[in-house]
Amino acid sequence: MPYLDFLMTYSSRFIDGTLITLGQFGLAALVAIVAALISGLMKMAHSKTMRAIAIIYIEIFRGTSLLVQLYWFYFVLPLFGFTLEKFTVGFLTVGLCYGAYGAELVRGAIQSVPRGQWEAALALNMSPAKRMQRIILPQALVAILPPWGNLMIEILKGTALVALISVADLMFETRQVNNNTYLSAQAFGTALIIYYIFARFMVTPIMRWLERVMARKIGRT
Amino acid sequence: MKHDKRHDLSQYPLRLEGDNVPMVRFQNVTKRYGSLTVLDGLNLDVAEGEMVTIIGPSGSGKTTVLRMLMTLETIDSGVIYVDGEPLTHMEKNGRLVRANAAHLRLIRSKIGMCFQHFNLFPHMTALGNCIEGPMQVLGLSKQEAEERALELLDLVGMADKRDQHPSRLSGGQQQRVAIARALAMRPKVMLFDEVTSALDPEVISEVTGVIRGLVDQHNLTMLMVTHQIGFAREISDRICLFFDGKIEEQGSPEMLLDNPQNERTQQFLSAVLEAN
Amino acid sequence: MLDWKMDFTWEILPRLLLAAGNTMLAAGGGYAVAVVLGLVFALAQRTRSRTLTFIVRELVEFIRSTPLLLQIFFIFYVGPQFGLRLSPWAAGLIAIGLHYAAYLSEVYRGGIENVPKGQWEAARAINLSTVTTYRRIIIPQALPPALAGMGNYLVGIFKDTPMLSVIGVAELMHTANSIGAENFRYLEPYTIVGLIFLAISLPTAWLIRRFETALRRKMGLTR
């Protein structure tokens, strides 16, 4: 079957899968941002308990595999009485996993703000919360965006694993097409190209654009 | 880097001969970065054993002069001669052509350089830094190289720190090791590129003292870029003031510093004196 | 609610530990491929040929931008379509090795590019040749920071080996799946797999950090 016919025949499956992947990616990214910010800040907190909780979360998710986590959340969590939709398990797990990696980025970015900035804010008698919110975080945000761009690509790639708990994403649909047609090069090749276009021509440019906007906002161009 | 096609190399001698061959000659040397001309038709001779200091506002191209001589920068037109032989070019079938890597390495062996930020090799001790070139390039045995290095470390007053890594040395100490490292290659020309600019004021004299000793006791040809006018006055045979990629005025320290002819020289000197 | 069965745990533990051996074998093999191939990718991008640099650069970008899982499927299933049959192990090692080679090539490049420009200039000023400059000055300084990155990707490759279960490599995840399907019990096998991963990757990551610090100190790069 010529490739064009193949594409015509199965385009709807690829499109459906792509939309699900997009949804998984967007939601997982959101979960990761929230989890990274909370745990990253907690890891720098004065309270030992807060720090311990953050460290346990970070180490568990960074110390095990995303796939192990997905299976565990999908098959084992219901035994504790939590039953979640597989779609929800998918983006939640991916988000929590990469949030743990993001936590280190948050911490690094905050620490990259020069000490003089803290001192200057203190000298203006700002409250700790104000210092963080008005002075430190805006500068940290600029520092975190480049490595966060890489993390976004990792999140996108990570969402492919949700296919293994039967979320009908691009990976899942591609396998279905492959199983129906045995046209592996066409099926997997198409999916590779779609993921690549996503990463290279959507995620990366958007992150670069954000970097420029934020840098301009704090007056670094 | 493209060589100017219209640039006619036949007007330049294949080598400098005669009685008064300078140790270094810049002949009509131009250097551009894109549309910016950093050096514009520079002509400068430095005689053997002469100490020439280059001063001038930042961006006037003074560091570029040293970097071109060390072959860290290429040139766009003109020819640089060292010890009578072309550095940037070489003779081929009776004509000058652009120097190849082997020729550059050969002529470069006559030149040593110290940098503003020392650039010591951080993973080697003070002694290791000083024997690296002699062993790897000159092919000296370890023993010979160490003897030579220790002598020089002693000269710069760093023999007792021979086994320390640069991270354990102060800026002044690092710069002194860097001077020993450069001298270990037995250069005929030494280049000092703002060697005291990155130092704390209280250690500057450690380094200037070493350079002063070199001037007094050795017949080295030296080119120095510095902001320390007082030091330049003390040790230079000649001072060149650079402005916009050209030599604005040059002469003996007394002539240039005490009796500048040129209005821009006067302005620069009064600004510098005020800052001090 | 939670009924963890100890006797079941003891029953399946040997099987899982055996599978953990396979996991480490897969990680080690994949890493060996990645270390060598990554160096090829990195050096290819430092040659003077712009075309070669461009092609390798794009290839590395492509590999890094697409899911490993998909690459595993691609390599395993596309071969037979053209008459080239790869065993699950071979396909798995190639896929994982290729994927991480792309990452490692960036680590190598970063290490080399992080050496300050002044080091190249100082080497030039004492007339070292290019080869000697790389050998004596650049690589010794590029190595310690690169080793940290290399170590992190060793842990990374280890954590990605469960993906090989999808093409039938009998590593930890695959074995846990089988146990789960045979006994209709998932709590113990999946939890144990998680614990085994933690028990290996956390100390390894810690050791790598220690090793890097020790190496930097030994080379005099820090006080």
Side-chain angles (χ1 to χ4, degrees):
Chain A
M1 188 194 295
Y3 183 59
L4 216 60
D5 289 352
F6 170 85
L7 263 191
M8 298 295 254
T9 316
Y10 295 102
S11 61
S12 67
R13 306 207 65 155
F14 283 116
I15 291 172
D16 288 351
T18 304
L19 289 177
I20 298 286
T21 290
L22 254 184
Q24 284 281 326
F25 170 65
L27 291 166
L30 214 62
V31 172
I33 291 169
V34 174
L37 200 60
I38 293 175
S39 59
L41 288 174
M42 275 171 73
K43 205 179 168 187
M44 300 175 73
H46 285 295
S47 150
K48 258 195 181 154
T49 337
M50 297 268 262
R51 283 209 307 269
I53 294 171
I55 288 172
I56 290 171
Y57 158 67
I58 292 169
E59 296 297 335
I60 284 184
F61 277 88
R62 281 170 33 127
T64 56
S65 297
L66 176 55
L67 190 53
V68 177
Q69 292 157 21
L70 268 173
Y71 281 162
W72 203 89
F73 275 77
Y74 189 62
F75 289 106
V76 178
L77 213 54
L79 304 178
F80 292 82
F82 301 101
T83 309
L84 294 171
E85 189 75 35
K86 59 193 175 192
F87 184 87
T88 315
V89 172
F91 75 77
L92 209 59
T93 315
V94 175
L96 285 173
C97 177
Y98 289 102
Y101 289 90
E104 294 298 318
L105 299 183
V106 168
R107 202 166 64 100
I110 288 175
Q111 283 172 346
S112 77
V113 178
R115 189 118 205 100
Q117 293 294 310
W118 290 92
E119 292 170 357
L122 187 96
L124 291 175
N125 209 12
M126 283 184 168
S127 70
K130 268 259 145 25
R131 290 204 293 261
M132 192 52 114
Q133 181 206 333
R134 301 284 314 156
I135 308 299
I136 307 304
L137 281 184
Q139 298 185 54
L141 188 59
V142 176
I144 203 177
L145 280 175
W148 197 275
N150 288 335
L151 194 67
M152 292 294 262
I153 304 288
E154 296 300 320
I155 293 174
L156 173 65
K157 287 158 60 183
T159 61
L161 293 190
V162 302
L164 300 178
I165 57 166
S166 309
V167 177
D169 74 334
L170 177 56
M171 182 75 239
F172 184 87
E173 296 289 358
T174 305
R175 271 184 92 187
Q176 298 283 316
V177 171
N178 179 61
N179 292 346
N180 295 343
T181 62
Y182 296 105
L183 296 171
S184 304
Q186 289 87 330
F188 292 123
T190 305
L192 277 173
I193 290 168
I194 295 173
Y195 276 110
Y196 179 67
I197 289 174
F198 247 137
R200 190 75 191 275
F201 301 106
M202 291 178 63
V203 179
T204 305
I206 289 174
M207 291 306 292
R208 291 276 149 75
W209 172 79
L210 260 180
E211 282 170 33
R212 280 199 305 276
V213 169
M214 292 316 295
R216 199 168 322 133
K217 262 203 162 145
I218 73 161
R220 276 187 224 158
T221 43
Chain B
M1 210 277 320
K2 292 229 166 45
H3 203 63
D4 192 342
K5 285 250 165 59
R6 291 162 301 169
H7 186 59
D8 184 11
L9 282 168
S10 63
Q11 58 179 300
Y12 298 92
L14 296 179
R15 48 179 301 133
L16 306 180
E17 277 156 331
D19 290 337
N20 271 325
V21 173
M23 182 53 84
V24 174
R25 166 169 286 177
F26 291 84
Q27 190 165 345
N28 206 16
V29 172
T30 298
K31 171 73 185 170
R32 297 186 200 91
Y33 293 115
S35 60
L36 179 76
T37 301
V38 203
L39 282 174
D40 191 5
L42 172 70
N43 287 299
L44 176 66
D45 278 7
V46 181
E48 187 172 359
E50 193 180 16
M51 171 75 179
V52 173
T53 298
I54 298 172
I55 60 174
S58 55
S60 59
K62 47 194 196 316
T63 286
T64 308
V65 174
L66 302 195
R67 292 175 58 83
M68 290 187 316
L69 194 47
M70 193 68 256
T71 69
L72 297 173
E73 309 276 355
T74 51
I75 64 174
D76 292 291
S77 62
V79 177
I80 302 176
Y81 296 89
V82 173
D83 204 8
E85 294 190 68
L87 163 75
T88 50
H89 296 75
M90 60 183 188
E91 187 192 327
K92 197 176 175 187
N93 305 327
R95 301 188 308 130
L96 281 184
V97 295
R98 201 138 261 273
N100 61 18
H103 180 81
L104 283 177
R105 280 199 80 194
L106 184 71
I107 308 297
R108 190 157 62 210
S109 66
K110 299 180 181 188
I111 306 164
M113 182 166 184
C114 294
F115 301 87
Q116 179 178 1
H117 296 288
F118 334 128
N119 297 353
L120 287 180
F121 304 131
H123 56 303
M124 298 176 182
T125 61
L127 185 68
N129 268 276
C130 296
I131 62 173
E132 184 66 13
M135 286 180 66
Q136 300 291 335
V137 179
L138 307 180
L140 264 59
S141 72
K142 189 163 190 209
Q143 197 196 345
E144 291 169 316
E146 284 188 348
E147 269 172 30
R148 181 187 286 196
L150 279 173
E151 205 174 289
L152 289 165
L153 283 173
D154 194 42
L155 178 81
V156 299
M158 290 295 295
D160 56 328
K161 302 277 189 198
R162 50 184 281 190
D163 295 324
Q164 300 286 4
H165 279 91
S167 60
R168 291 191 167 269
L169 302 176
S170 72
Q173 292 173 326
Q174 288 190 56
Q175 193 61 286
R176 285 189 278 155
V177 173
I179 292 172
R181 175 177 72 180
L183 290 174
M185 298 302 284
R186 299 269 156 91
K188 292 188 161 181
V189 183
M190 272 291 281
L191 311 176
F192 296 98
D193 185 13
E194 302 198 27
V195 287
T196 55
S197 296
L199 298 180
D200 292 331
E202 68 271 19
V203 299
I204 286 180
S205 62
E206 293 177 12
V207 173
T208 52
V210 168
I211 297 174
R212 190 175 291 126
L214 289 179
V215 172
D216 292 344
Q217 287 153 27
H218 296 264
N219 195 33
L220 268 170
T221 307
M222 296 190 241
L223 270 118
M224 176 168 83
V225 170
T226 188
H227 293 290
Q228 287 186 284
I229 305 286
F231 179 55
R233 172 198 293 272
E234 243 180 89
I235 66 163
S236 309
D237 297 311
R238 177 159 48 117
I239 298 181
C240 297
L241 183 107
F242 269 69
F243 213 100
D244 281 347
K246 285 185 165 153
I247 297 177
E248 184 76 15
E249 191 171 345
Q250 59 177 319
S252 67
E254 296 74 27
M255 261 173 63
L256 187 94
L257 299 177
D258 299 335
N259 191 16
Q261 302 298 308
N262 207 309
E263 195 187 337
R264 286 209 283 202
T265 314
Q266 290 161 6
Q267 277 171 2
F268 174 75
L269 289 174
S270 65
V272 170
L273 288 176
E274 195 154 317
N276 287 342
Chain C
M1 180 187 90
L2 179 64
D3 70 320
W4 182 284
K5 287 196 175 147
M6 256 352 248
D7 51 345
F8 183 57
T9 306
W10 292 123
E11 189 190 317
I12 63 173
L13 195 59
R15 218 173 133 188
L16 285 173
L17 287 177
L18 218 61
N22 273 349
T23 287
M24 290 205 251
L25 205 63
Y31 194 63
V33 175
V35 164
V36 177
L37 202 57
L39 195 61
V40 175
F41 285 169
L43 292 178
Q45 289 178 70
R46 289 191 69 86
T47 57
R48 295 222 174 132
S49 160
R50 288 228 179 131
T51 328
L52 186 64
T53 303
F54 176 80
I55 291 172
V56 176
R57 175 88 246 123
E58 287 303 310
L59 179 67
V60 165
E61 277 301 319
F62 187 86
I63 294 173
R64 278 161 37 107
S65 310
T66 49
L68 173 57
L69 184 63
L70 190 49
Q71 292 166 5
I72 293 171
F73 279 128
F74 187 89
I75 289 177
F76 186 62
Y77 285 108
V78 170
Q81 211 180 340
F82 301 98
L84 177 75
R85 266 205 87 78
L86 290 170
S87 71
W89 271 93
L93 291 192
I94 292 174
I96 223 166
L98 195 65
H99 193 77
Y100 275 88
Y103 282 94
L104 283 181
S105 72
E106 295 292 289
V107 170
Y108 298 144
R109 260 162 38 93
I112 291 173
E113 281 162 17
N114 262 337
V115 177
K117 209 166 136 258
Q119 293 293 307
W120 291 94
E121 296 185 347
R124 173 79 66 92
I126 59 168
N127 222 357
L128 297 182
S129 68
T130 307
V131 175
T132 311
T133 304
Y134 265 109
R135 188 168 58 82
R136 303 274 312 166
I137 311 298
I138 305 304
I139 290 179
Q141 292 183 67
L143 210 54
L147 277 175
M150 289 174 73
N152 288 339
Y153 285 125
L154 175 61
V155 177
I157 225 169
F158 169 68
K159 286 185 296 193
D160 274 352
T161 50
M163 286 188 219
L164 297 180
S165 64
V166 297
I167 53 169
V169 174
E171 46 64 69
L172 261 176
M173 201 70 237
H174 192 266
T175 308
N177 284 338
S178 309
I179 292 172
E182 287 160 20
N183 302 280
F184 302 106
R185 287 193 66 86
Y186 292 98
L187 170 65
E188 293 87 354
Y190 284 162
T191 309
I192 294 172
V193 167
L195 291 175
I196 292 177
F197 269 97
L198 276 179
I200 297 175
S201 63
L202 290 186
T204 312
W206 181 79
L207 275 176
I208 289 166
R209 278 199 296 274
R210 284 285 303 265
F211 178 68
E212 195 216 350
T213 323
L215 187 74
R216 294 184 71 89
R217 192 165 308 134
K218 187 163 167 258
M219 298 185 70
L221 296 177
T222 42
R223 267 160 197 266

